[in-house]
Amino acid sequence: GTAQIGVTGLAVMGRNLARNFARHGYTVAVHNRTYARTQSLVTEHGDEGTFVPSESMADFVASLARPRKVVVMVQAGPATDAVIDELVPLLEPGDIVVDAGNAHFPDTVRREQALRAHGLHFVGTGVSGGEEGALNGPSIMPGGTAESYASLGPILEAISAKVDGVPCCTHVGPDGAGHFVKMVHNGIEYADMQLIAEAYDLLRQGLGASAPEIGEVFAAWNTGDLESYLIEVTAEVLAHTDAATGRPFVDVVADAAEQKGTGRWTVQNALDLGVPITGIAEATFARALSGSAPQRAAARGVLPADTLAWNVPEPGAFIEDVRLALYASKLVAYSQGFDQIAAASAQYGWDIDRAAMARIWRGGCIIRAKFLDRITQAYERNPELPLLIADPYFTAAVSNGVAAWRRVVAAAAAHGVPTPAFSSSLAYYDGVRAERLPANLIQAQRDFFGAHTYRRVDRDGVFHTDWSGDRTEQTW
Ligand code: 6PG
């Protein structure tokens, strides 16, 4: 065969990736379970480059130059396993199977191991940027062997987004590292979205502003430190009018947030690793709360509010406070997400370069933002940086907003506006910077009821107090 890369699974993401490869001059083998979809791709977009359509998986594989590079773009889960099972007997040692779906990283670790036994490379790859990104330049996060990246990487880099000429694609690390990093990307995406939603709610309730008015605030914010795709999207969504009712579009959208699972996976993994990603966790739980219909029905009009009435004498100052609180909370969420990447990298032996991750998230992906440049620089200055918000640039940025952040969280509490992500991020900030935390009391309690022992501030060793006896201290 002659095709340089193949794509199987031609729903919108696979279709757009195939077109992106073709537009970059690659000869692209294309295959789909139902052949009609393959045919329609070639009919509609055949003029964009060179496609080699095949009806059967065997012909598809045969149409590829060796070592073969097959991108699988099907639904994560059993569908991915089914396609892999069909592919493996048709492939030869050295061939590369790329899973570009949103797989859960433990599945990727398992599949990589299984394919390695056949002499095949399995590259679990995060792809972010939705349909538009897949076509015009996504952020790409490939895992797998360095050897596979040597031949596959240049092709993926060619079709990725570019920022200042730098591709938003790099080899993340072995086996599940690529899908892991994509998972954390999505967790951060959840936190970003929740923080934006809380800012919107505060402006709405605090100022009594309409959706389009708040849209203008977001559009203005998008010209400063907060400049990012999600802020831009928010401004557009808030400005949109529902055709059927003539009302602001967001006012006719039901307030129950859904998810496909990547945020949940991020939180589950953070619990396993013991990394406090409170911003992402609160964002994920906030979606769950919004969808808790029976609980919300039971509480509505029953649980007293006992709140103060809003009185915002200086709307401009309030808007600026909310902006600063949003930025500070966002920094905390990213800082926590990067901590999780560091912990996973150590735990699973991945050696992930955090500066490189921030670099490939600057463009193409859903969380793309101007300030990711600053994160890249922080990790370049110090690859071992233990806490992102303790990097001098970010410390200065947070210090600038911390008073506003406190005012906003206090106002939210006083007026009964739920701001779980703003509030928990501030609590994390105060926790992580505390000279001394009340964990001393937790340790004392644990020792009291369970003889779980404690350490002392003044002496090395492990101790236990004989609480039920004469309360003398024993060295454990
Ligand atoms: C991306 C997005 C993409 C998808 C999310 C949505 O990076 O392009 O993150 O992967 O839009 O999976 O996630 P939820 O449906 O869980 O909100």
Side-chain angles (χ1 to χ4, degrees):
T2 55
Q4 292 153 293
I5 188 130
V7 179
T8 180
L10 300 175
V12 65
M13 287 295 289
R15 197 179 179 85
N16 284 358
L17 279 179
R19 291 173 62 195
N20 192 349
F21 286 125
R23 288 174 174 192
H24 281 85
Y26 296 103
T27 301
V28 190
V30 284
H31 170 264
N32 191 69
R33 200 156 43 94
T34 45
Y35 190 48
R37 219 185 251 279
T38 313
Q39 286 173 308
S40 84
L41 166 62
V42 177
T43 317
E44 287 165 37
H45 305 288
D47 58 340
E48 293 176 8
T50 312
F51 295 100
V52 183
S54 292
E55 188 161 2
S56 73
M57 191 66 103
D59 288 348
F60 167 68
V61 168
S63 73
L64 285 155
R66 286 161 66 185
R68 302 180 181 91
K69 300 173 191 68
V70 181
V71 177
V72 178
M73 192 72 248
V74 299
Q75 236 180 11
T80 304
D81 283 313
V83 171
I84 292 171
D85 288 348
E86 201 182 342
L87 268 171
V88 166
L90 302 168
L91 298 173
E92 289 167 286
D95 288 350
I96 303 170
V97 177
V98 183
D99 174 12
N102 260 334
H104 194 197
F105 78 93
D107 289 337
T108 305
V109 172
R110 166 178 62 78
R111 290 171 182 144
E112 198 275 338
Q113 220 164 31
L115 267 68
R116 191 156 13 110
H118 289 95
L120 301 171
H121 296 283
F122 184 75
V123 178
T125 301
V127 178
S128 179
E131 298 169 23
E132 207 272 336
L135 183 61
N136 297 316
S139 174
I140 310 181
M141 297 151 247
T145 59
E147 190 192 338
S148 64
Y149 194 80
S151 62
L152 177 71
I155 306 179
L156 297 182
E157 288 179 17
I159 67 149
S160 74
K162 312 284 181 302
V163 175
D164 306 330
V166 180
C168 294
C169 173
T170 194
H171 181 227
V172 177
D175 56 68
H179 275 139
F180 179 87
V181 160
K182 174 60 180 24
M183 179 192 79
V184 176
H185 163 284
N186 280 29
I188 293 174
E189 174 183 310
Y190 280 38
D192 255 343
M193 293 169 72
Q194 175 64 23
L195 290 168
I196 289 171
E198 290 177 15
Y200 151 81
D201 203 10
L202 282 160
L203 297 178
R204 181 124 208 180
Q205 299 201 38
L207 303 176
S210 69
E213 285 164 350
I214 300 168
E216 284 171 30
V217 172
F218 277 95
W221 287 354
N222 201 37
T223 62
D225 290 332
L226 283 171
E227 183 184 325
S228 62
Y229 175 67
L230 284 170
I231 296 277
E232 179 193 325
V233 164
T234 304
E236 283 201 37
V237 164
L238 290 173
H240 183 61
T241 304
D242 175 52
T245 59
R247 293 171 58 193
F249 170 70
V250 289
D251 291 353
V252 300
V253 176
D255 65 345
E258 297 174 14
Q259 63 161 311
K260 291 201 287 288
T262 46
R264 180 170 61 240
W265 294 341
T266 311
V267 179
Q268 285 170 338
N269 171 263
L271 291 171
D272 288 342
L273 295 173
V275 182
I277 53 160
T278 56
I280 295 170
E282 288 294 353
T284 307
F285 285 132
R287 290 193 188 192
L289 190 155
S290 75
S292 300
Q295 290 82 358
R296 290 182 65 188
R300 195 174 293 124
V302 173
L303 299 183
D306 208 358
T307 50
L308 305 175
W310 278 102
N311 170 29
V312 181
E314 285 180 67
F318 180 70
I319 291 171
E320 179 60 5
D321 274 5
V322 173
R323 187 186 74 84
L324 289 165
L326 172 56
Y327 190 53
S329 303
K330 180 180 162 93
L331 293 181
V332 165
Y334 280 68
S335 188
Q336 294 175 337
F338 277 92
D339 277 355
Q340 184 174 1
I341 291 174
S345 182
Q347 174 80 20
Y348 311 127
W350 285 337
D351 197 22
I352 298 174
D353 174 356
R354 289 175 293 176
M357 295 309 105
R359 192 179 308 115
I360 65 171
W361 287 347
R362 292 181 309 160
C365 64
I366 303 297
I367 66 168
R368 62 184 181 262
K370 199 171 109 179
F371 93 129
L372 279 157
D373 245 334
R374 300 292 191 174
I375 299 184
T376 306
Q377 290 157 11
Y379 285 119
E380 277 170 354
R381 273 193 289 277
N382 178 7
E384 306 304 323
L385 187 66
L387 180 72
L388 183 62
I389 51 172
D391 168 80
Y393 175 81
F394 290 113
T395 303
V398 174
S399 325
N400 184 38
V402 70
W405 198 5
R406 294 192 192 289
R407 282 194 294 273
V408 168
V409 169
H415 297 94
V417 180
T419 54
F422 274 32
S423 307
S424 70
S425 300
L426 179 57
Y428 173 88
Y429 175 80
D430 282 327
V432 78
R433 66 171 193 82
E435 197 62 51
R436 201 161 150 72
L437 289 167
N440 51 348
L441 179 55
I442 307 289
Q443 285 298 82
Q445 291 166 330
R446 292 177 68 244
D447 190 57
F448 185 100
F449 61 68
H452 295 300
T453 74
Y454 53 90
R455 291 177 182 278
R456 297 182 55 98
V457 296
D458 52 358
R459 262 181 291 141
D460 280 344
V462 176
F463 303 93
H464 167 62
T465 291
D466 180 16
W467 295 102
S468 51
D470 63 4
R471 304 206 163 180
T472 55
E473 183 171 80
Q474 303 153 9
T475 304
W476 213 247

